[in-house]
Amino acid sequence: PTKGEYQFIIPPTSATMGKGGESTPVTNAIQTTSKDGHWVSPYNPLDPKAPQLPTKGEIKAVIPKECFERSYFHSMYFVARDTVLAVGCAYAAYQTLSTDVPANLLSLDALTWFVGWNVYAFWMGCILTGHWVLAHECGHGAFSPNQTFNDIWGFVMHQALLVPYFAWQYTHAKHHRRTNNTMDGESHVPNIRSEMGLCAKDERHSGYAIIHEAMGDGPFAAFQIFAHLVIGWPLYLMGLASTGRLGSDGKPLKDGDIIDHYRPWSKMFPKKVQVKIAMSTVGIIAAWFAIYKAAQEYGALPVTLWYIGPLLWNQAWLVLYTWLQHNDASVPQYGPDEWTWVKGALSTIDRPYGIFDFFHHKIGSTHVAHHLFHEMPFYKADVATAAIRAFLEPKGLYNYDPQPWYLAMWKVAKTCHYIDGLDGIQYYKSLEDVPLRKDGKKVD
């Protein structure tokens, strides 16, 4: 364990669900916590006594074979289920809310109107995230045995949510191939010290380092959450944030290179997928044109209330999952000299999401299994997770943070700001631990 941490052993009475749903004891399950009670990853590759990592084949051998069976019926059932939920939510809003702004903005009617539309936006966005997860399954080939069928349904569901299906299918596959790789990773690739405005001796001179000093710890963490959940997704699609450092040809990007998801000739994509990228972009243009025509016909406010509001919540959820499932100050990031596929996959974290597991098909609570075997359908992932956990946890190789997701989000926003460099084994560091300038004053 790293300095300031201790280990404890879960008693042999702990259990998980094994093959067929039977209870399988998990003995000597290694977990770690920090002195302040926060979860930390039990695996520390810098520890000379760190366990040897299993192969992908060894992990797959403990999972029931039926977990890999894909079903047209099961997948389409969930499409139908989520669509019924969306229609029901829209119907409830239609029966109880008006798109007309109340005449008196300081009245109880105005408050009810404002709260009502925000409640609708939250829950509709939550439900539509289910469709987003299903389209994500399509991109992985986990939706059905037929990839053409997958691509048709994935294209429809993702493009309706303004996601360029084929472009994101490609970059998300790269995210799985290069998880937690400091150079060739994709999405939420950590910044290094100099990119945060720090000198080699941890002296603040520009950028986020100065912004953090001016704002203080708490406000800066809130800013991090806003930047990720509100503007992070469009910035990522435009190639302005969170992308990798290498082009599709394996060469480092030059200053000023933008690898967006829309141009077929973007350095993000090899030539063989350019036609598909163009199809996605045309789909996005068509979707925006439909939004424009709807705004002309019904007005900008009704379109914003019915569609844009839920879309913002949908985008917040998808960024939240990719942010939290791979980032913690105790989870390593690997330079190209240290990275292996198994190391990257086992750097994934499972977290509890409560009721949202129902709406989002357990994408956050079974993410370790998903990163190990993305071709596995989500409706079998809980059984697979139980088997994987029973195999990995006694070795100290399974990451499960029991902290509620909203508290984990706050912790990550406060502690995961940058890494020192791109080589070797790196851990996230926090600007809260960087000394202020001589004229600076700590603000909590």
Side-chain angles (χ1 to χ4, degrees), residues 36 193 198 201-204 209 212-213 216-217 220 329 411 413-418 420 427-437 442-444:
D36 59 6
R193 180 193 304 271
L198 294 173
K201 296 182 179 180
D202 272 352
E203 297 174 345
R204 302 170 186 254
H212 170 265
E213 181 171 289
D217 295 345
F220 185 79
K411 183 181 75 168
K414 287 175 67 67
T415 60
C416 297
H417 296 153
Y418 69 96
D420 282 332
Y427 282 91
Y428 266 114
K429 293 187 174 182
S430 173
L431 288 172
E432 296 183 11
D433 298 323
V434 176
L436 301 179
R437 295 173 297 172
K442 186 74 170 180
V443 180
D444 292 326

Side-chain angles (χ1 to χ4, degrees), residues 221 225 229 320 323-324 351 403-414:
I225 293 172
L229 304 192
L320 178 71
W323 188 24
L324 294 189
R351 301 182 185 275
Q403 191 175 40
W405 61 268
Y406 45 89
L407 296 179
M409 176 180 67
W410 183 250
K411 183 181 75 168
V412 169
K414 287 175 67 67

Side-chain angles (χ1 to χ4, degrees), residues 148-343:
T148 300
F149 184 83
N150 296 342
D151 286 341
I152 291 172
W153 280 101
F155 187 89
V156 170
M157 290 187 286
H158 261 175
Q159 300 289 152
L161 296 171
L162 299 184
V163 179
Y165 173 74
F166 287 115
W168 192 76
Q169 178 189 46
Y170 179 85
T171 58
H172 188 63
K174 182 184 176 185
H175 162 69
H176 274 255
R177 291 195 306 269
R178 297 290 188 270
T179 305
N180 283 34
N181 186 310
T182 62
M183 280 295 293
D184 203 20
E186 185 60 42
S187 82
H188 300 284
V189 179
N191 288 318
I192 59 174
R193 180 193 304 271
S194 60
E195 294 168 340
M196 295 299 288
L198 294 173
C199 296
K201 296 182 179 180
D202 272 352
E203 297 174 345
R204 302 170 186 254
H205 66 83
S206 62
Y208 284 115
I210 300 301
I211 294 174
H212 170 265
E213 181 171 289
M215 296 181 72
D217 295 345
F220 185 79
F223 168 72
Q224 284 284 296
I225 293 172
F226 171 84
H228 279 81
L229 304 192
V230 180
I231 61 175
W233 178 247
L235 289 178
Y236 172 63
L237 292 182
M238 290 187 290
L240 301 177
S242 195
T243 59
R245 293 183 166 86
L246 304 179
S248 62
D249 58 1
K251 297 179 180 179
L253 297 173
K254 300 176 182 178
D255 288 342
D257 281 345
I258 297 177
I259 49 175
D260 60 274
H261 283 69
Y262 300 112
R263 293 174 302 149
W265 57 90
S266 168
K267 289 185 177 181
M268 180 84 81
F269 309 111
K271 290 184 178 180
K272 64 180 181 180
V273 299
Q274 288 184 349
V275 173
K276 286 186 174 181
I277 306 307
M279 290 172 60
S280 293
T281 301
V282 169
I284 294 297
I285 293 172
W288 275 111
F289 181 74
I291 293 169
Y292 168 74
K293 295 299 290 184
Q296 280 192 321
E297 179 71 20
Y298 304 106
L301 180 59
V303 171
T304 299
L305 294 173
W306 284 110
Y307 179 74
I308 301 299
L311 185 71
L312 291 175
W313 277 109
N314 164 249
Q315 294 178 355
W317 274 114
L318 67 94
V319 172
L320 178 71
Y321 280 119
T322 52
W323 188 24
L324 294 189
Q325 303 317 130
H326 302 286
N327 291 300
D328 186 271
S330 67
V331 172
Q333 307 282 329
Y334 297 99
D337 55 325
E338 286 283 348
W339 182 89
T340 67
W341 183 88
V342 171
K343 285 181 179 179

